[in-house]
Amino acid sequence: MTSPAVTPPRAASVAPRAETLRPPWPFTGREEELDLVRRSLAAGRPGIVVTGPAGCGRTRLAAEAVRGTDCVRVSPTPETRTTPFGAFAPVLPESVTLHRAVRLLSGVRLLCVDDAHLLDDASAALLHHLAVQGRTRLLVTVTDGAPAPAPAAVTRLRTGESLPRLALAPLPDHATDPLLEAAAGGPLDALTAHRLRGLCRGDLRLLRDLTAAVHDAGLLTRLPETGLWTWRGPLPPTPALRDRAAAVLTRPCPEEREALDRLAFAEPLPLPAAALDLRALERLEADALIEVADDDTVRLAHPLHGPMLRATAGRLRARRLAGLRGPLTDALDTEAAALLDGIARDDVRTARTPVGEWLVAAGAPVPAGYAAVRARFARLRGELREAAAWAREGLSGTPGHPACRRELALTEARSGDTGPDDGVTDDPDPDGYDPDAHDPDAVRLGAPERALELLPPDGVFARHARALARADGAALDRVAAELGERGFLLYAAEAYAQAASAHRDPTAARTARTRAADLARRCQGARTPALSGPALGELTARQRQIVTLAASGLTNRQIAERLTLSVRTVGNHLYGAYARLGTADRTALPWLVEQPA
């Protein structure tokens, strides 16, 4: 079977740009971590070690933390690792001894060592002595899972033996939106953003390289119905992306390369696979280039590798390999059935759906029935922009499809764009689609007694309805936690918001409100009746005024200038407001302030 035809662009594309200079990468999503690092570098503190996987933003966080300070910075490289004190060469004299190096750097107030896992042994010993001595405040970053082992002295630092340790988690999806917009030159549609994030697996450097490559190649087109930029079609095999995929693109063994190419065009493949060399697969697994699942299916280990292998395959090779893929309709039906089974079991945690995502990435038509299921699954997870995008994909090929129309209307209602039932069609669906099953809107709209008549008595949604009917804050907290574990992030946010109103204990109410705010921010613009409430009611008038300005994006200095206050006073008011609201995250303020009426 040949690969599906790519539909023509729906709008004019962006013209490629010749220049390579780019604006600074926005700093986003790490405000709490930034505050923690800065406090760790204050006078009288020893410093901190920041760890995390490659591309998670450790270097940018460190740069922001020491901005404007009198800091000595050291950045080792693989080349300096073979030279004693090579990383410190810019700040130390030649032929220095360890004792003298410690004495010279003991007078430095603040020392920042980036990528300390690349230090040579002598430099690592110097860093360890400075940490033990405690006279120099240290900011050290270390990559988790680096290919070459770090020196023993750095490993001891990394474990928190001598300095406090901050382990960075991957940046949440909602926090990467400003990064994508900066790299692409404008806001992206949800499926394009999802595709870019999925290809990068949390590596922000790769995210920037990939988004810039797509932009510079003129592959972005504007959707007329939303005005957002979208990307359909193959990856641009730029030199930077080729380097990222060199592990599979330069594999010398013919049997291994054939296995990689077959997976790129038809993953997952079942084992045993007569067409694949099992010894080649064993070598690829040992090098972490493929993964074997519990059901004995084989996939490529990194999401970037398949698209790069497809983008660099010759035309004849691509035609042959694409013909090895089974019927797409069967694969799509299997994926849709798995999603519906999860919905029926009240479990919408992330499911692997490579065929549907490959179809969208290729720019091929998406069957409306499949698109409706994807939209419903995304809506229940609180991924409202993705849900709307999937519904529009289905409607673009089958205008008027009732299930897609209903999903689009329900998603818009949860985004505050329409009333709860505006645009929802009651037309029968030829595919037997039931949008109301396991979707208890009555609970969300504050009518739990009605929902109890319709819901399975032992399910999580029935427990939600009973807790809400009793105004039981503790029970609502438990239900919210379970909903979050099952993937229903929007429902969990609403349950926590309801718990915040039900709690009589102010501390419990603040905790529930904080959790509701965190989840709501991950739900892509959700604005629902259950999330409305007097979040700012317990603040003083001045605190409400300052919090509202901070939520609009103003800095403390800008607020101070507008209100004729000192910057310290503004900070003190915000600190008090954070304590009352139960948050220390400035990015939560827009949700807390701009709740629906």
Side-chain angles (χ1 to χ4, degrees):
M1 177 178 177
T2 59
S3 56
V6 177
T7 56
R10 287 178 271 184
S13 62
V14 179
R17 298 191 314 177
E19 67 267 20
T20 57
L21 294 178
R22 304 193 183 282
W25 193 239
F27 183 79
T28 178
R30 299 286 191 201
E31 287 77 11
E32 291 187 36
E33 293 91 339
L34 178 61
D35 180 64
L36 174 62
V37 172
R38 284 177 171 168
R39 285 189 278 110
S40 299
L41 300 178
R45 301 289 183 87
I48 193 169
V49 177
V50 180
T51 66
C56 71
R58 299 178 323 280
T59 298
R60 182 59 189 275
L61 175 62
E64 289 293 323
V66 301
R67 186 182 302 278
T69 66
D70 184 13
C71 175
V72 174
R73 305 186 189 187
V74 173
S75 299
T77 65
E79 291 72 25
T80 65
R81 192 166 191 177
T82 58
T83 304
F85 300 112
F88 287 87
V91 296
L92 291 176
E94 294 184 9
S95 303
V96 69
T97 65
L98 176 61
H99 177 73
R100 188 182 180 203
V102 172
R103 186 157 48 87
L104 289 172
L105 290 180
S106 294
V108 173
R109 292 184 178 180
L110 178 58
L111 174 64
C112 178
V113 182
D114 193 23
D115 288 335
H117 55 283
L118 296 177
L119 288 173
D120 59 274
D121 290 336
S123 296
L126 169 59
L127 185 62
H128 175 72
H129 278 280
L130 292 173
V132 172
Q133 190 180 71
R135 297 178 185 172
T136 301
R137 296 192 298 276
L138 299 175
L139 173 53
V140 183
T141 73
V142 183
T143 297
D144 292 334
V154 172
T155 300
R156 289 196 295 271
L157 281 177
R158 183 189 174 281
T159 58
E161 181 177 311
S162 303
L163 292 174
R165 176 184 172 223
L166 169 62
L168 289 186
L171 201 64
D173 284 352
H174 70 269
T176 64
D177 288 340
L179 308 181
L180 289 170
E181 184 171 340
L188 299 169
D189 86 295
L191 296 186
T192 298
H194 176 80
R195 181 184 181 189
L196 290 166
R197 284 191 289 255
L199 289 171
C200 298
R201 193 184 277 177
D203 188 331
L204 301 181
R205 292 176 299 182
L206 177 56
L207 183 67
R208 185 173 196 182
D209 288 345
L210 178 56
T211 311
V214 171
H215 176 264
D216 292 350
L219 300 180
L220 294 175
T221 59
R222 193 182 292 277
L223 293 172
E225 61 267 30
T226 62
L228 301 174
W229 294 109
T230 184
W231 167 44
R232 301 291 186 269
L235 277 176
T238 63
L241 297 182
R242 284 178 178 270
D243 287 343
R244 291 283 190 160
V248 292
L249 295 180
T250 61
R251 201 74 181 182
C253 174
E255 292 80 11
E256 294 176 10
R257 181 58 190 266
E258 176 68 12
L260 291 169
D261 282 342
R262 283 176 176 264
L263 287 169
F265 281 84
E267 68 176 333
L269 290 177
L271 287 177
L276 299 180
D277 186 294
L278 289 181
R279 290 189 179 274
L281 291 178
E282 290 173 1
R283 293 192 294 270
L284 292 173
E285 184 184 25
D287 290 342
L289 296 179
I290 64 171
E291 296 175 341
V292 181
D294 293 338
D295 60 355
D296 283 340
T297 57
V298 186
R299 303 174 186 269
L300 293 168
H302 197 286
L304 180 70
H305 290 168
M308 282 302 297
L309 287 166
R310 294 195 296 269
T312 55
R315 181 172 298 179
L316 293 177
R317 186 173 182 82
R319 182 179 299 176
R320 176 179 67 83
L321 292 168
L324 301 176
R325 181 189 289 272
L328 290 182
T329 53
D330 293 346
L332 290 175
D333 289 344
T334 299
E335 287 186 357
L339 295 177
L340 290 173
D341 178 66
I343 294 172
R345 291 183 290 102
D346 293 336
D347 187 344
V348 292
R349 283 170 284 193
T350 303
R352 299 195 70 167
T353 50
V355 179
E357 291 171 11
W358 179 84
L359 204 64
V360 169
V366 178
Y370 176 85
V373 173
R374 290 299 301 267
R376 183 182 178 199
F377 194 82
R379 172 173 59 82
L380 292 175
R381 284 176 49 80
E383 297 166 343
L384 300 186
R385 289 196 290 269
E386 290 184 26
W390 277 109
R392 292 190 182 99
E393 284 288 329
L395 291 171
S396 67
T398 311
H401 189 273
C404 288
R405 285 176 55 198
R406 184 179 183 97
E407 280 303 326
L408 184 58
L410 289 171
T411 299
E412 289 175 343
R414 284 150 179 75
S415 302
D417 296 335
T418 64
D421 299 315
D422 291 353
V424 178
T425 177
D426 291 324
D427 298 339
D429 179 45
D431 298 325
Y433 172 79
D434 181 7
D436 292 319
H438 297 79
D439 192 2
D441 286 337
V443 179
R444 303 173 62 255
L445 297 176
E449 296 82 2
R450 175 188 167 196
L452 283 171
E453 300 173 358
L454 306 173
L455 294 169
D458 297 328
V460 63
F461 291 108
R463 293 196 295 277
H464 183 189
R466 284 194 292 270
L468 182 59
R470 298 194 306 266
D472 187 335
L476 284 167
D477 281 339
R478 292 192 295 271
V479 166
E482 183 177 353
L483 286 168
E485 291 172 359
R486 292 171 177 264
F488 294 94
L489 299 190
L490 179 54
Y491 291 92
E494 292 172 328
Y496 274 127
Q498 292 160 345
S501 299
H503 278 301
R504 295 185 178 182
D505 176 38
T507 300
R510 284 195 295 270
T511 300
R513 187 182 297 113
T514 300
R515 291 171 178 169
D518 177 66
L519 290 170
R521 282 180 292 139
R522 296 162 59 186
C523 291
Q524 303 180 350
R527 296 175 64 84
T528 70
L531 290 176
S532 63
L536 302 184
E538 58 187 65
L539 301 184
T540 67
R542 178 63 88 181
Q543 286 173 336
R544 286 197 300 271
Q545 183 184 32
I546 291 175
V547 164
T548 302
L549 292 174
S552 69
L554 296 184
T555 65
N556 287 12
R557 184 169 299 279
Q558 291 170 328
I559 296 172
E561 292 172 353
R562 177 171 296 192
L563 301 181
T564 320
L565 300 171
S566 70
V567 175
R568 182 182 295 274
T569 298
V570 170
N572 288 339
H573 278 301
L574 277 176
Y575 182 82
Y578 289 154
R580 293 193 179 191
L581 294 174
T583 182
D585 187 350
R586 198 182 188 98
T587 62
L589 295 181
W591 182 87
L592 290 169
V593 174
E594 299 173 7
Q595 297 183 70

